[in-house]
PDB file of all heavy atoms in Angstrom:
ATOM      1  N   TRP A1158      31.346   8.273  -8.288  1.00 95.00           N
ATOM      2  CA  TRP A1158      32.738   7.877  -8.080  1.00 95.00           C
ATOM      3  C   TRP A1158      32.932   7.282  -6.694  1.00 95.00           C
ATOM      4  O   TRP A1158      32.175   7.544  -5.761  1.00 95.00           O
ATOM      5  CB  TRP A1158      33.679   9.065  -8.281  1.00 95.00           C
ATOM      6  CG  TRP A1158      33.785   9.974  -7.082  1.00 95.00           C
ATOM      7  CD1 TRP A1158      32.890  10.926  -6.690  1.00 95.00           C
ATOM      8  CD2 TRP A1158      34.844   9.983  -6.117  1.00 95.00           C
ATOM      9  NE1 TRP A1158      33.319  11.543  -5.549  1.00 95.00           N
ATOM     10  CE2 TRP A1158      34.521  10.984  -5.171  1.00 95.00           C
ATOM     11  CE3 TRP A1158      36.022   9.264  -5.964  1.00 95.00           C
ATOM     12  CZ2 TRP A1158      35.340  11.267  -4.084  1.00 95.00           C
ATOM     13  CZ3 TRP A1158      36.845   9.547  -4.881  1.00 95.00           C
ATOM     14  CH2 TRP A1158      36.499  10.541  -3.958  1.00 95.00           C
ATOM     15  N   ALA A1159      33.952   6.453  -6.601  1.00 95.00           N
ATOM     16  CA  ALA A1159      34.362   5.863  -5.328  1.00 95.00           C
ATOM     17  C   ALA A1159      35.844   5.529  -5.462  1.00 95.00           C
ATOM     18  O   ALA A1159      36.426   5.645  -6.545  1.00 95.00           O
ATOM     19  CB  ALA A1159      33.543   4.616  -5.017  1.00 95.00           C
ATOM     20  N   GLN A1160      36.461   5.114  -4.359  1.00 95.00           N
ATOM     21  CA  GLN A1160      37.883   4.782  -4.412  1.00 95.00           C
ATOM     22  C   GLN A1160      38.234   3.707  -3.399  1.00 95.00           C
ATOM     23  O   GLN A1160      37.533   3.492  -2.409  1.00 95.00           O
ATOM     24  CB  GLN A1160      38.741   6.022  -4.145  1.00 95.00           C
ATOM     25  CG  GLN A1160      38.621   6.561  -2.721  1.00 95.00           C
ATOM     26  CD  GLN A1160      39.640   7.652  -2.406  1.00 95.00           C
ATOM     27  OE1 GLN A1160      40.817   7.544  -2.776  1.00 95.00           O
ATOM     28  NE2 GLN A1160      39.186   8.708  -1.729  1.00 95.00           N
ATOM     29  N   SER A1161      39.317   3.016  -3.705  1.00 93.00           N
ATOM     30  CA  SER A1161      39.972   2.139  -2.747  1.00 93.00           C
ATOM     31  C   SER A1161      41.366   2.721  -2.529  1.00 93.00           C
ATOM     32  O   SER A1161      41.672   3.805  -3.033  1.00 93.00           O
ATOM     33  CB  SER A1161      40.053   0.709  -3.294  1.00 93.00           C
ATOM     34  OG  SER A1161      40.908   0.662  -4.424  1.00 93.00           O
ATOM     35  N   SER A1162      42.210   2.028  -1.836  1.00 91.00           N
ATOM     36  CA  SER A1162      43.555   2.553  -1.593  1.00 91.00           C
ATOM     37  C   SER A1162      44.413   2.539  -2.857  1.00 91.00           C
ATOM     38  O   SER A1162      45.419   3.245  -2.934  1.00 91.00           O
ATOM     39  CB  SER A1162      44.244   1.741  -0.493  1.00 91.00           C
ATOM     40  OG  SER A1162      44.324   0.376  -0.875  1.00 91.00           O
ATOM     41  N   ASP A1163      43.986   1.764  -3.862  1.00 94.00           N
ATOM     42  CA  ASP A1163      44.795   1.632  -5.079  1.00 94.00           C
ATOM     43  C   ASP A1163      44.089   2.098  -6.350  1.00 94.00           C
ATOM     44  O   ASP A1163      44.743   2.294  -7.377  1.00 94.00           O
ATOM     45  CB  ASP A1163      45.218   0.168  -5.276  1.00 94.00           C
ATOM     46  CG  ASP A1163      46.062  -0.350  -4.125  1.00 94.00           C
ATOM     47  OD1 ASP A1163      46.937   0.402  -3.655  1.00 94.00           O
ATOM     48  OD2 ASP A1163      45.829  -1.489  -3.692  1.00 94.00           O
ATOM     49  N   GLN A1164      42.769   2.266  -6.305  1.00 95.00           N
ATOM     50  CA  GLN A1164      42.026   2.545  -7.531  1.00 95.00           C
ATOM     51  C   GLN A1164      40.940   3.597  -7.309  1.00 95.00           C
ATOM     52  O   GLN A1164      40.471   3.800  -6.184  1.00 95.00           O
ATOM     53  CB  GLN A1164      41.381   1.254  -8.061  1.00 95.00           C
ATOM     54  CG  GLN A1164      42.400   0.188  -8.449  1.00 95.00           C
ATOM     55  CD  GLN A1164      41.747  -1.143  -8.770  1.00 95.00           C
ATOM     56  OE1 GLN A1164      40.706  -1.484  -8.213  1.00 95.00           O
ATOM     57  NE2 GLN A1164      42.356  -1.904  -9.667  1.00 95.00           N
ATOM     58  N   VAL A1165      40.547   4.229  -8.418  1.00 95.00           N
ATOM     59  CA  VAL A1165      39.408   5.151  -8.442  1.00 95.00           C
ATOM     60  C   VAL A1165      38.385   4.578  -9.417  1.00 95.00           C
ATOM     61  O   VAL A1165      38.744   4.129 -10.513  1.00 95.00           O
ATOM     62  CB  VAL A1165      39.831   6.565  -8.894  1.00 95.00           C
ATOM     63  CG1 VAL A1165      38.609   7.467  -9.054  1.00 95.00           C
ATOM     64  CG2 VAL A1165      40.800   7.173  -7.895  1.00 95.00           C
ATOM     65  N   TYR A1166      37.114   4.596  -9.026  1.00 96.00           N
ATOM     66  CA  TYR A1166      36.059   3.998  -9.842  1.00 96.00           C
ATOM     67  C   TYR A1166      35.085   5.084 -10.306  1.00 96.00           C
ATOM     68  O   TYR A1166      34.605   5.884  -9.498  1.00 96.00           O
ATOM     69  CB  TYR A1166      35.307   2.935  -9.043  1.00 96.00           C
ATOM     70  CG  TYR A1166      36.223   1.918  -8.405  1.00 96.00           C
ATOM     71  CD1 TYR A1166      36.604   2.044  -7.070  1.00 96.00           C
ATOM     72  CD2 TYR A1166      36.729   0.847  -9.136  1.00 96.00           C
ATOM     73  CE1 TYR A1166      37.454   1.129  -6.478  1.00 96.00           C
ATOM     74  CE2 TYR A1166      37.587  -0.075  -8.554  1.00 96.00           C
ATOM     75  CZ  TYR A1166      37.945   0.073  -7.224  1.00 96.00           C
ATOM     76  OH  TYR A1166      38.796  -0.835  -6.644  1.00 96.00           O
ATOM     77  N   LEU A1167      34.808   5.092 -11.611  1.00 95.00           N
ATOM     78  CA  LEU A1167      33.853   6.036 -12.193  1.00 95.00           C
ATOM     79  C   LEU A1167      32.720   5.266 -12.847  1.00 95.00           C
ATOM     80  O   LEU A1167      32.952   4.264 -13.533  1.00 95.00           O
ATOM     81  CB  LEU A1167      34.528   6.927 -13.239  1.00 95.00           C
ATOM     82  CG  LEU A1167      35.686   7.813 -12.778  1.00 95.00           C
ATOM     83  CD1 LEU A1167      36.243   8.594 -13.961  1.00 95.00           C
ATOM     84  CD2 LEU A1167      35.244   8.765 -11.670  1.00 95.00           C
ATOM     85  N   ASN A1168      31.507   5.741 -12.639  1.00 94.00           N
ATOM     86  CA  ASN A1168      30.319   5.157 -13.259  1.00 94.00           C
ATOM     87  C   ASN A1168      29.587   6.294 -13.974  1.00 94.00           C
ATOM     88  O   ASN A1168      28.926   7.116 -13.337  1.00 94.00           O
ATOM     89  CB  ASN A1168      29.430   4.524 -12.184  1.00 94.00           C
ATOM     90  CG  ASN A1168      28.323   3.680 -12.780  1.00 94.00           C
ATOM     91  OD1 ASN A1168      28.411   3.229 -13.919  1.00 94.00           O
ATOM     92  ND2 ASN A1168      27.271   3.455 -12.013  1.00 94.00           N
ATOM     93  N   ILE A1169      29.742   6.362 -15.288  1.00 93.00           N
ATOM     94  CA  ILE A1169      29.253   7.500 -16.077  1.00 93.00           C
ATOM     95  C   ILE A1169      27.958   7.117 -16.794  1.00 93.00           C
ATOM     96  O   ILE A1169      27.885   6.076 -17.445  1.00 93.00           O
ATOM     97  CB  ILE A1169      30.316   7.933 -17.107  1.00 93.00           C
ATOM     98  CG1 ILE A1169      31.625   8.287 -16.392  1.00 93.00           C
ATOM     99  CG2 ILE A1169      29.819   9.116 -17.932  1.00 93.00           C
ATOM    100  CD1 ILE A1169      32.800   8.476 -17.333  1.00 93.00           C
ATOM    101  N   LYS A1170      26.948   7.972 -16.666  1.00 92.00           N
ATOM    102  CA  LYS A1170      25.654   7.731 -17.321  1.00 92.00           C
ATOM    103  C   LYS A1170      25.438   8.784 -18.399  1.00 92.00           C
ATOM    104  O   LYS A1170      25.710   9.966 -18.184  1.00 92.00           O
ATOM    105  CB  LYS A1170      24.520   7.786 -16.291  1.00 92.00           C
ATOM    106  CG  LYS A1170      23.161   7.401 -16.853  1.00 92.00           C
ATOM    107  CD  LYS A1170      22.107   7.378 -15.749  1.00 92.00           C
ATOM    108  CE  LYS A1170      20.746   6.978 -16.298  1.00 92.00           C
ATOM    109  NZ  LYS A1170      19.708   6.954 -15.237  1.00 92.00           N
TER     110      LYS A1170
END
Side-chain angles (χ1 to χ4, degrees):
W1158 81 281
Q1160 67 171 318
S1161 66
S1162 59
D1163 299 318
Q1164 297 171 329
V1165 174
Y1166 308 98
L1167 299 179
N1168 191 22
I1169 303 169
K1170 186 176 181 180

